[in-house]
Amino acid sequence: MVPLAERYRDRLPLTGATPIVSLGEGATPLLPAPRLSERIGVEVWLKWEGANPTGSFKDRGMTVAVSKALEEGARAVVCASTGNTAASAAAYAARAGIPAVILQPAGAVALGKVAQARAVGARLLEVRGSFEEALAAARELARRGTHALVNSLNPHRLEGQKTAAFEIVEELGAAPDVLALPYGGGGNTRAYSVGFEEAGAGVPRIQAGEAAGRAATVATAIRIAEPAHRAEAEEAVARSGGAVVSLMDEEILAAWRELAGLEGVFCEPASAAGVAAIAKLPPERGARVVCVVTGHGLKDPEAAARLAEAPVSVAAELDAIAEAAA
Ligand code: AN7
C-alpha cells in the first residue's frame, strides 16, 4: 500500500529529505450504514478509523509528526495522552528507532491502549493527575529540547489528520452535507475543517459530539476538561453552520450499541460520539452524513465486558449446547 505521506505528499509539509515513517496508515473504509440510516432518517456513512495500524485516527497525524521529528534530528518523542495518541506515538517511535515517553493520567486509560504502548517498549509514566497536568509537563519537556512533542499541538499532526477529509471527498465525489465526529481536544475537528477546505469541495456542517461531563465520562478517550484546540475547533464548527452537541454518557453508549448491533462496527465508547450527535440532533431527512468512528473497540475491552451481554457457561454436551443456543 502507498503510505498516506506519499499519497498526499504535495499537500503535506514534507520534503525530499523527510524520512517517511509509516505503518500503512490511512485509506480506511468508508462504510455505508443502511440500518443506522433507516433508524435516524439520514444517509449515514461511517469513516472507520479503527482500521488504522494502531487502531485509531491518530496514526494519520503520527506518521507525519514522527517523520518530521526524525528529519529535524529529534532523538526522542514525548506526548501526554488519554491513550490513543500514546499507542500511536509509541508504535511510530519504535518504527523510527527512537524512544517514546508517554505521560498518561493514572488509572484513566483503557487497557488495550496501555498494552499497545508497553508492547512496543515505550517509557510509560502514570501521572497522578489530570490529562491537563500531564500535557503541561510534556510541553515543558519539549521546551527543554530533550524530546519532540507529538501531541496535536504539533502542527504536523493535524496536517496528517486532514487527509481523512481528502479520502472522503475522493470516495463520495463530493463533500457530505454533514460531518459528525467526537470532540475531545478539538484537534481532529480542526483538521477535518482544514482538509475539506483544501479539498475544494466545500465544508460540510460539522456536528462535534462532546461528553457533557468532560472530566468524568465513560468515554475515557475524550476525558479532557480543557480542550487544547477549543477556539479553532468551535470557530470551525460555527463557520460550517454546524453545532457542538453535548452528550450524556447514556447517549454515547446507546450509539456505541447501535454501531455494533446494527452495523457490526465495534468501536471504543468515545468513538460513537459522532453517531450520538446525529441521533440527538438529526439533520434534515435524507441528508448525507459521514460519521467518523475514531478508534477500535479492542482498545477498551473492559467497556465491552461491562456493557455487553456476558457469555453463557455450558457443559460440553450437545443437548445442553443446543438448548443454550436456541
Ligand atoms: C478514539 O489520545 O486526546 O478532539 O490523547 O482517542 O482531536 O482530541 C484522544 C482523543 C476522539 C478526540 N476519539 O479527538 C489522546 C486523545 C478517540 C480519541 C478523540 C480522541 P480530538
Side-chain angles (χ1 to χ4, degrees):
M1 82 156 330
V2 184
L4 165 165
E6 301 285 4
R7 187 161 156 220
Y8 296 113
R9 175 176 277 283
D10 58 339
R11 290 185 260 178
L12 292 170
L14 304 169
T15 72
T18 315
I20 303 294
V21 182
S22 172
L23 287 164
E25 56 292 321
T28 56
L30 184 64
L31 303 169
R35 297 175 73 194
L36 262 180
S37 298
E38 179 156 345
R39 223 283 280 140
I40 303 175
V42 298
E43 180 190 317
V44 180
W45 295 79
L46 305 173
K47 184 63 171 162
W48 178 219
E49 292 289 279
N52 277 298
T54 76
S56 87
F57 71 101
K58 304 285 182 181
D59 296 340
R60 291 180 182 277
M62 207 56 73
T63 180
V64 179
V66 173
S67 297
K68 291 302 283 186
L70 267 195
E71 181 182 359
E72 288 154 14
R75 291 210 297 272
V77 298
V78 65
C79 69
S81 178
T82 60
N84 278 324
T85 296
S88 186
Y92 283 81
R95 185 83 170 158
I98 58 175
V101 175
I102 309 293
L103 308 184
Q104 65 181 38
V109 176
L111 199 62
K113 304 171 188 180
V114 178
Q116 287 180 286
R118 289 176 62 175
V120 296
R123 182 149 185 83
L124 211 54
L125 306 181
E126 295 198 315
V127 179
R128 294 188 295 272
S130 66
F131 170 75
E132 283 68 26
E133 290 170 297
L135 181 58
R139 294 178 79 165
E140 181 56 24
L141 281 183
R143 203 189 57 76
R144 291 183 186 179
T146 50
H147 298 74
L149 185 71
V150 293
N151 275 100
S152 63
L153 295 164
N154 176 333
H156 300 313
R157 279 276 314 280
L158 300 193
E159 286 293 306
Q161 286 174 214
K162 77 185 179 187
T163 60
F166 300 165
E167 291 175 12
I168 291 169
V169 170
E170 281 166 30
E171 204 147 335
L172 295 178
D177 299 310
V178 174
L179 180 89
L181 81 174
Y183 170 22
N188 210 32
T189 300
R190 168 78 182 145
Y192 270 93
S193 162
V194 169
F196 280 112
E197 256 164 43
E198 290 186 12
V203 179
R205 279 170 279 146
I206 300 174
Q207 283 191 201
E210 70 174 355
R214 273 191 168 274
T217 168
V218 62
T220 54
I222 54 173
R223 198 175 281 173
I224 295 173
E226 277 308 317
H229 298 273
R230 187 194 290 272
E232 317 100 87
E234 296 192 4
E235 193 265 340
V237 168
R239 195 151 36 89
S240 77
V244 172
V245 182
S246 186
L247 301 162
M248 305 302 289
D249 276 358
E250 302 74 60
E251 294 168 320
I252 295 173
L253 294 177
W256 177 83
R257 283 199 184 85
E258 287 193 341
L259 269 164
L262 295 180
E263 301 293 353
V265 172
F266 173 37
C267 65
E268 63 170 296
S271 298
V275 170
I278 59 160
K280 182 161 190 173
L281 185 68
E284 70 282 6
R285 220 176 159 73
R288 182 181 266 191
V289 181
V290 172
C291 296
V292 185
V293 185
T294 46
H296 204 287
L298 293 173
K299 297 277 192 176
D300 193 352
E302 288 168 315
R306 232 180 20 252
L307 299 166
E309 201 68 39
V312 176
S313 173
V314 63
E317 290 161 9
L318 183 55
D319 284 350
I321 290 171
E323 190 183 330

